[in-house]
Amino acid sequence: MNKKVSVIVPCYNQAQFLDEALISVWEQTYSNWECIIINDGSPDDTEDIALNWCNKDTRFIYLKKENGGLCSARNAGIDIADGELILPLDADDKIGKKYLELATKAFDADNSLKVVYCKAEKFGDEVGLWDLPQFSLFNLSRNNLIFPSGMYRKTDWKMIGGYDSKMIYGWEDWEIWIALLKNGGKVKQLNEIGFYYRIKSVSMLKQIDKEKGDYLLNYLSVKHADFFVKHYGSFKTMEHQLLALKRENETNLKSEKFVIDVFCKRFFGFTIFGKYK
């Protein structure tokens, strides 16, 4: 077990959290790693903090670039990475001490794996376990199931063209999991908490309003139409299903028995025409 892992840490206006993130990398039980800190044109103290870590341990590498957004920063870091395996880590999050060790063991044990992730916990403005839905491609087609810090191979990142810079408002992690997994490959969730997700009152995710969300969903729907059609059916099929459901609801609402039963079930826990179970 000697695969090198490249931990990719983009930073823009997150210098106040960067030390915590880098400490969590430095304390790993697995030693064959490098950590590439990307200063994405940040106006704060990112450079000073990053260079301090580079002086402390040569496994830390500093890269400075003009601001280009999260996808651009991650791609720039992965592009110069020496590791066979990639683990993105946002500058305000943390990883557990055994995450790299357990994830690399999983890749060693199963060559068909494409993504390995773990259980997660929230900290900051909200604390507690992060209850993630069970992974399946169908569930992934409905919503993102894996936080940004899942591990994958650099060769797979290169094959799909990296992070998509058109995901300008966020959800870039959902897009890359779809791109990596839609044509095959297994996913494994480790049975250990190895990722700590910082909850803040203001974040990139919370700033996605309806207009930005519509843009991202429309873009995903076009780029990965094959994936969504496979799991939902064609758009015409969806239209037929919606029309059938509408007709069924209209018929039910015209039925006096149906209306009475719904009312009684909702407010009294039983139906007039049969025992409620």
Side-chain angles (χ1 to χ4, degrees):
M1 187 182 66
N2 199 36
K3 289 181 171 66
K4 188 172 187 178
V5 180
S6 295
V7 183
I8 308 299
V9 185
C11 193
Y12 180 79
N13 273 349
Q14 301 281 8
Q16 68 269 37
F17 306 121
L18 184 57
D19 269 330
E20 289 183 76
L22 300 183
I23 287 171
S24 76
V25 177
W26 193 59
E27 292 181 340
Q28 289 298 299
T29 57
Y30 189 77
S31 61
N32 191 16
W33 55 262
E34 65 178 4
C35 181
I36 302 173
I37 309 159
I38 306 99
N39 180 350
D40 189 33
S42 188
D44 57 15
D45 297 331
T46 292
E47 181 166 87
D48 292 339
I49 295 170
L51 291 177
N52 283 337
W53 280 96
C54 292
N55 291 330
K56 183 174 184 176
D57 191 322
T58 57
R59 292 176 295 179
F60 288 99
I61 299 165
Y62 178 61
L63 175 64
K64 186 175 184 178
K65 63 183 286 296
E66 291 184 3
N67 180 255
L70 183 56
C71 292
S72 170
R74 283 187 185 152
N75 286 335
I78 299 171
D79 192 51
I80 66 168
D82 285 335
E84 177 182 344
L85 296 170
I86 302 296
L87 184 78
L89 176 62
D90 288 348
D92 55 344
D93 295 330
K94 301 184 294 185
I95 52 175
K97 293 181 179 180
K98 296 182 69 176
Y99 191 15
L100 299 190
E101 176 187 348
L102 296 175
T104 52
K105 280 183 179 178
F107 275 105
D108 283 335
D110 189 347
N111 288 330
S112 66
L113 283 175
K114 275 200 172 178
V115 177
V116 174
Y117 69 115
C118 57
K119 296 185 182 299
E121 190 172 292
K122 301 174 185 177
F123 73 107
D125 289 350
E126 183 181 337
V127 297
L129 290 176
W130 190 358
D131 187 18
L132 298 165
Q134 183 176 2
F135 181 84
S136 70
L137 288 177
F138 176 73
N139 286 341
L140 183 64
S141 72
R142 300 178 68 188
N143 209 338
N144 189 19
L145 307 171
I146 307 175
F147 43 76
S149 293
M151 188 179 287
Y152 51 86
R153 294 181 178 86
K154 181 174 178 176
T155 51
D156 289 329
W157 165 86
K158 189 173 184 178
M159 188 174 297
I160 64 170
Y163 288 89
D164 190 336
S165 60
K166 292 183 180 178
M167 301 292 291
I168 54 177
Y169 302 121
W171 297 354
E172 72 294 325
D173 46 329
W174 187 18
E175 192 282 325
I176 202 168
W177 303 137
I178 293 173
L180 282 169
L181 296 167
K182 69 178 183 178
N183 293 319
K186 290 167 60 178
V187 176
K188 180 179 179 66
Q189 184 184 35
L190 303 170
N191 191 29
E192 176 153 332
I193 297 172
F195 178 68
Y196 298 88
Y197 181 63
R198 188 185 300 272
I199 303 295
K200 298 177 293 187
S201 57
V202 178
S203 68
M204 184 176 177
L205 189 61
K206 290 179 179 179
Q207 291 175 338
I208 299 177
D209 56 22
K210 184 180 185 303
E211 182 179 352
K212 293 176 180 177
D214 286 346
Y215 163 82
L216 293 170
L217 288 173
N218 289 339
Y219 181 74
L220 280 172
S221 298
V222 172
K223 180 175 181 180
H224 297 295
D226 55 339
F227 174 70
F228 290 108
V229 168
K230 180 178 180 180
H231 293 283
Y232 284 102
S234 70
F235 298 112
K236 201 64 182 175
T237 300
M238 292 175 67
E239 182 185 16
H240 287 164
Q241 290 172 345
L242 288 171
L243 288 172
L245 182 61
K246 181 181 178 181
R247 286 194 293 268
E248 180 183 350
N249 288 337
E250 289 174 348
T251 301
N252 285 337
L253 288 173
K254 291 176 182 177
S255 166
E256 181 180 357
K257 171 186 177 300
F258 178 83
V259 173
I260 294 172
D261 272 3
V262 168
F263 178 83
C264 292
K265 188 184 296 184
R266 172 67 179 83
F267 292 101
F268 303 110
F270 65 89
T271 68
I272 297 296
F273 300 94
K275 187 175 180 181
Y276 171 56
K277 296 182 179 179

